[in-house]
């Protein structure tokens, strides 16, 4: 992919630390790949990732739960027809560039290294011997832990990665962490006989909190916040949907590290504070859902949802998902895809989600994953039963909903560290916004966004500041939209340089 222009501005803070205003870089998406999106595999990956381990009967089971794991605008590439989004980082001295999946549903950074015995020839490998700042190698202890050289395995629904805990200089969008811990992966195993990595992608960059990191490392973005390198502790996403599945690499949106891109949204960003006492995943409580304008009843004790850029679909509790599809005439369980529902392809299904504030609509096109294999009059819906076949009790601490790119392609999303919160805004015309915009939520028929819970995950050091419970706050979205993604008006000095960032829409995490 040809280098894309990347604008970066820096602001000297009174504390003498160098903090940069957000820069906004176009993303590219990849479509038409040989890797075909499989909704059954995607459902399995999500069930394992979020602790619904009993739901692995559809495919061979893997033990354990995988936790997937500053201001700069970074281009993203869309792979496999909106299946995953990835961007570019550099690592080592001198720097080596790699494409990594950008995943707010995990916290670990891992890369395939030269010792990887199961990587394909298409996978770019990190040459550890060529970096003078690399710290790693096998530990004399040989046990899993937090010491450099410790052997760690991260398990996903479709396989697992294993490697050695290592450290090196990592940079992204002009920001650098000198001693960033990551997993130097030497083994990739897929339960389906394929590869966990597709195309030129070499790993994953987790963008959630350190409390769920299998490596126990502080995530790159969180280290930037802790080091006061960013003007604001925020990450903004515009995920662009594909309009031509036959083209492999197409624009996929913009990832802004350290702020927002005001040219990509209109109005204010509606922030909802995370309803948890210890940040882990980026969590919100689903408060209301409508289908074609009518309210749907949802459970009050199973409303916790993970907002996950590394996921394509939307998964929810059995009863709630059944209620959603019961509101669609002539819908029913899919005979080809357990846990999914189908509906007449001629039917337009418009769903809105609310998390305690506005009701955000999902495009009917995004709700349709395609026709049934043996019946082209029936199409399979993008909301599936996440908890099918499990016996996990409500309120166990696991998110019962996973809200992925099916929803996130319809909004500008912002992940804010302090206070821990997630915000959404209406897309601007430059970002493909339709102008329909959000609506006031219907009268509550389910959960309240004021639920407080503590997840059953290890408690480690994280960001300063604690959530103040539920609440909706707004951030200004001033500035006129421009197709090029202009810098916010805060920027004082801009430096333009070439960069390539790719965003995979991979659902296997």
């Amino acid at each position: 992919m040809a280098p894309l222009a990347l604008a970066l501005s820096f602001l000297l803070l009174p504390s003498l630390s160098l903090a940069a205003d957000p820069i906004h870089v176009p993303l590219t998406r990849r479509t038409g790949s040989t890797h075909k999106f499989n909704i059954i595999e995607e459902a399995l990956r999500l069930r394992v990732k979020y602790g619904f381990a009993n739901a692995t009967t559809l495919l061979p089971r893997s033990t354990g739960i995988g936790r997937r794991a500053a201001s700069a605008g970074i281009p993203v590439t869309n792979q496999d027809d909106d299946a995953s989004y990835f961007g570019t980082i550099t690592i080592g001295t001198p720097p080596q560039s790699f494409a990594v999946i950008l995943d707010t549903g995990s916290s670990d950074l891992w890369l395939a290294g030269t010792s990887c015995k199961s990587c394909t020839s298409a996978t770019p490998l990190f040459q550890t011997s060529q970096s003078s700042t690399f710290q790693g190698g096998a530990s004399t202890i040989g046990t899993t832990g937090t010491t450099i050289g410790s052997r760690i395995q991260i398990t996903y629904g479709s396989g697992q990665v294993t490697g050695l805990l290592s450290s090196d200089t990592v940079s992204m969008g002009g920001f650098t962490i000198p001693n960033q811990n990551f997993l130097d992966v030497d083994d990739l195993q897929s339960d389906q006989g394929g590869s966990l990595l597709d195309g030129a992608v070499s790993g994953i960059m987790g963008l959630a909190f350190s409390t769920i990191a299998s490596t126990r490392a502080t995530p790159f973005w969180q280290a930037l916040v802790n080091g006061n390198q960013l003007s604001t502790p925020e990450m903004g996403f515009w995920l662009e949907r594909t309009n031509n599945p036959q083209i492999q690499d197409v624009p996929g949106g913009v990832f802004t590290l350290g702020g927002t891109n005001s040219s990509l949204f209109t109005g204010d960003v509606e922030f909802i504070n995370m309803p948890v006492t210890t940040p882990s995943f980026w969590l919100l409580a689903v408060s209301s859902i409508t289908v074609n304008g009518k309210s749907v009843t949802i459970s009050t004790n199973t409303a916790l949802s993970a907002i996950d850029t590394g996921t394509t679909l939307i998964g929810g509790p059995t009863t709630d998902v059944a209620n959603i599809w019961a509101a669609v005439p002539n819908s029913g369980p899919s005979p080809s895809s357990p846990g999914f529902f189908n509906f007449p392809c001629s039917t337009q299904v418009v769903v809105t989600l609310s998390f305690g504030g506005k009701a955000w609509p999902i495009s009917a096109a995004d709700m349709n994953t395609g026709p049934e294999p043996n019946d082209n009059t029936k199409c399979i819906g993008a909301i599936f039963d996440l908890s099918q076949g499990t016996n996990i009790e409500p309120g166990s601490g696991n998110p019962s909903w996973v809200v992925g790119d099916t929803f996130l392609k319809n909004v500008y999303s912002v992940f804010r560290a302090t206070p821990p919160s997630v915000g959404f805004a209406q897309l601007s015309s430059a970002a493909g916004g339709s102008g329909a915009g959000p609506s006031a939520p219907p009268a509550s028929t389910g959960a309240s966004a004021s639920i407080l819970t503590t997840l059953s995950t290890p408690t480690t050091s994280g960001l300063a500041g604690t959530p103040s419970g539920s609440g909706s706050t707004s951030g200004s979205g001033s500035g006129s939209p421009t197709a090029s993604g202009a810098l916010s008006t805060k920027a004082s000095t801009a430096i333009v340089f070439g960069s390539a960032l790719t965003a995979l829409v991979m659902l296997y995490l």
Side-chain angles (χ1 to χ4, degrees):
M1 184 179 68
L4 301 173
L6 186 64
L8 176 64
S9 64
F10 293 94
L11 178 67
L12 187 63
L13 298 182
S15 62
L16 298 183
S17 62
L18 192 63
D21 284 323
I23 59 175
H24 320 292
V25 180
L27 307 180
T28 302
R29 60 174 174 260
R30 173 171 297 170
T31 59
S33 165
T34 56
H35 178 88
K36 299 300 182 182
F37 175 52
N38 185 310
I39 60 174
I40 297 177
E41 292 182 12
E42 168 66 1
L44 173 63
R45 290 160 184 154
L46 290 188
R47 287 167 180 150
V48 173
K49 175 181 177 180
Y50 286 98
F52 295 92
N54 291 342
T56 60
T57 55
L58 301 179
L59 293 171
R61 171 178 295 193
S62 299
T63 58
I65 299 174
R67 308 185 195 284
R68 291 185 298 165
S71 171
I74 301 162
V76 175
T77 297
N78 178 336
Q79 185 179 52
D80 297 333
D81 196 7
D82 298 350
S84 58
Y85 295 86
F86 62 88
T88 297
I89 65 170
T90 65
I91 184 168
T93 305
Q96 302 173 41
S97 296
F98 297 98
V100 291
I101 297 166
L102 303 175
D103 181 18
T104 60
S106 70
S107 299
D108 293 294
L109 172 62
W110 62 263
L111 285 172
T114 51
S115 299
C116 184
K117 50 184 175 288
S118 52
C119 293
T120 69
S121 58
T123 303
L125 304 177
F126 176 41
Q127 308 287 327
T128 57
S129 63
Q130 296 182 16
S131 173
S132 62
T133 49
F134 174 77
Q135 300 178 56
S139 169
T140 56
I141 301 175
T143 58
T144 299
T146 58
T147 305
I148 295 297
S150 297
R151 192 158 189 81
I152 295 174
Q153 177 175 292
I154 304 175
T155 302
Y156 302 102
S158 55
Q160 54 278 331
V161 299
T162 307
L164 299 177
L165 185 62
S166 305
S167 176
D168 208 334
T169 299
V170 175
S171 297
M172 184 183 221
F175 297 99
T176 299
I177 297 298
N179 297 294
Q180 175 67 51
N181 283 4
F182 69 100
L183 196 65
D184 177 20
V185 170
D186 55 30
D187 191 23
L188 293 168
Q189 296 295 331
S190 172
D191 292 337
Q192 312 311 313
S195 175
L196 288 175
L197 295 176
D198 189 32
V201 176
S202 298
I204 297 168
M205 173 174 273
L207 298 173
F209 294 86
S210 60
T211 48
I212 59 170
S214 297
T215 57
R216 309 287 179 89
T218 300
F220 177 80
W221 74 271
Q222 204 169 353
L224 292 177
V225 173
N226 293 344
N228 295 319
Q229 292 199 44
L230 306 182
S231 58
T232 56
E234 297 173 347
M235 297 178 287
F237 278 92
W238 166 46
L239 301 179
E240 187 178 6
R241 63 178 59 82
T242 182
N243 56 14
N244 190 343
Q246 304 307 314
I247 300 177
Q248 186 174 27
D249 290 322
V250 291
V254 174
F255 170 51
T256 300
L257 185 58
T260 60
N261 187 326
S262 61
S263 73
L264 298 174
F265 64 93
T266 62
D268 293 336
V269 178
E270 180 187 61
F271 284 101
I272 305 293
N273 290 343
M274 287 171 49
V276 295
T277 55
T278 303
S280 54
F281 299 104
W282 293 96
L283 298 170
L284 294 178
V286 179
S287 59
S288 62
I289 297 176
T290 69
V291 177
N292 291 341
K294 297 182 179 180
S295 296
V296 172
T297 300
I298 60 174
S299 306
T300 58
N301 58 352
T302 57
L304 202 62
S305 65
I307 312 301
D308 187 351
T309 61
T311 291
T312 301
L313 304 175
I314 298 174
T318 301
T319 301
D320 294 355
V321 171
N323 289 343
I324 289 171
W325 291 110
V328 179
N330 300 312
S331 67
S334 169
S336 66
S337 307
F340 286 81
F341 289 76
N342 64 28
F343 59 94
C345 293
S346 59
T347 299
Q348 297 287 297
V349 179
V350 178
V351 173
T352 70
L353 298 182
S354 178
F355 303 93
K358 299 174 182 177
W360 300 94
I362 301 173
S363 165
D366 293 325
M367 285 296 300
N368 187 336
T369 69
E372 287 278 4
N374 299 314
D375 184 356
N376 59 13
T377 68
K378 293 281 190 176
C379 287
I380 301 174
I383 298 178
F384 74 99
D385 181 357
L386 180 66
S387 56
Q388 183 187 48
T390 71
N391 56 7
I392 295 177
E393 295 294 327
S396 62
N398 295 75
S400 299
W401 287 87
V402 180
V403 178
D405 301 332
T406 292
F407 170 78
L408 294 173
K409 286 182 290 184
N410 293 272
V411 296
Y412 187 82
S413 55
V414 185
F415 300 82
R416 184 172 65 181
T418 309
S421 51
V422 181
F424 303 116
Q426 180 182 348
L427 292 174
S428 68
S429 58
S434 64
S439 59
S444 177
T445 58
S448 167
S450 62
I451 297 171
L452 287 176
T453 183
T454 301
L455 294 189
S456 54
T457 53
T459 301
T460 60
S461 61
L463 291 173
T466 57
S468 57
S470 68
S472 172
T473 58
S474 297
S476 175
S478 60
S480 58
T482 62
S484 61
L487 287 171
S488 67
T489 55
K490 294 175 57 180
S492 55
T493 305
I495 302 174
V496 179
F497 57 95
S499 175
L501 187 62
T502 309
L504 280 153
V505 187
M506 318 216 33
L507 303 177
Y508 51 69
L509 301 176

